[in-house]
Amino acid sequence: MQGVELFKELLTEYFDRPWVLYGDPDVDGLISLKLMTEFAEMLGKKYSYYVNEHRKHGFVLNPSSLRGSLVIASDFTITEKELQVIVDNDVAVLSTDHHKCQSEFISVDGKAKGIVINNQYPFEPEEDRYLSGAGVFYELICSIYPDFKSKVREALVGVTLLSDVRA
């Protein structure tokens, strides 16, 4: 997936910031969040987490309340414009998604930096388009940290495929 190297760079650059893990309020989003918490714990990192109320999708937190944080988000769309506002508030963002998105890779700089990795970009391989949000996060992390790979996590990602409609 395009952006893996930048994800690694930004994770290293902003590693010491407080981590906020942000999941979507559905099966795929909550399993993504579980994978994010396991990833943080594997790295020995403390974190807080957030899930939108009332099944509302998307980034709804006030960026100014997150100043100085690293937000790792999964399974919801963040547009380039939204991402710019967030990083201009000194919030670093590492987002993975699988929903329909713009045609160009999203990476922005401001007071912090942010990226959106998405298997639905038109330049991503067709054979990877089936991945759920949890699948995109899982495959990305396994490509950087092979020790993260496990049968249990693969099974959880499989459950998300049952809950999301994909070709």
Side-chain angles (χ1 to χ4, degrees):
M1 285 179 273
Q2 184 172 331
V4 173
E5 290 302 316
L6 183 55
F7 186 100
K8 280 174 38 178
E9 287 174 30
L10 296 181
L11 183 63
T12 300
E13 183 176 345
Y14 297 107
F15 188 85
D16 292 331
R17 287 180 169 213
W19 283 26
V20 177
L21 309 178
Y22 199 150
D24 200 34
D26 58 22
V27 171
D28 188 20
L30 294 175
I31 290 177
S32 296
L33 181 60
K34 173 156 180 51
L35 295 174
M36 288 186 276
T37 64
E38 291 178 359
F39 173 62
E41 290 164 4
M42 181 184 91
L43 297 179
K45 198 63 186 156
K46 292 183 180 182
Y47 58 86
S48 59
Y49 66 89
Y50 184 78
V51 177
N52 294 341
E53 297 178 342
H54 310 294
R55 293 195 42 85
K56 183 164 178 67
H57 295 269
F59 197 97
V60 300
L61 293 174
N62 182 340
S64 65
S65 69
L66 299 169
R67 277 199 179 102
S69 297
L70 168 63
V71 172
I72 301 177
S74 186
D75 192 37
F76 59 84
T77 301
I78 299 176
T79 67
E80 187 171 11
K81 185 177 178 181
E82 290 169 325
L83 186 60
Q84 188 67 62
V85 170
I86 299 166
V87 300
D88 284 347
N89 276 276
D90 194 26
V91 180
V93 179
L94 302 175
S95 178
T96 60
D97 192 24
H98 72 122
H99 296 97
K100 186 177 177 182
C101 61
Q102 67 183 55
S103 61
E104 295 181 18
F105 182 72
I106 301 174
S107 170
V108 299
D109 294 345
K111 290 183 180 179
K113 296 177 186 172
I115 60 168
V116 177
I117 295 174
N118 190 321
N119 66 335
Q120 300 303 310
Y121 288 127
F123 50 79
E124 293 293 353
E126 187 69 36
E127 63 270 14
D128 293 339
R129 299 263 171 95
Y130 75 94
L131 289 169
S132 62
V136 172
F137 181 79
Y138 178 72
E139 293 295 328
L140 169 72
I141 297 305
C142 288
S143 73
I144 301 169
Y145 298 92
D147 291 346
F148 192 69
K149 193 172 201 109
S150 81
K151 292 291 183 190
V152 170
R153 292 181 182 123
E154 287 175 13
L156 286 170
V157 167
V159 168
T160 66
L161 292 174
L162 298 173
S163 70
D164 262 0
V165 177
R166 284 278 169 246

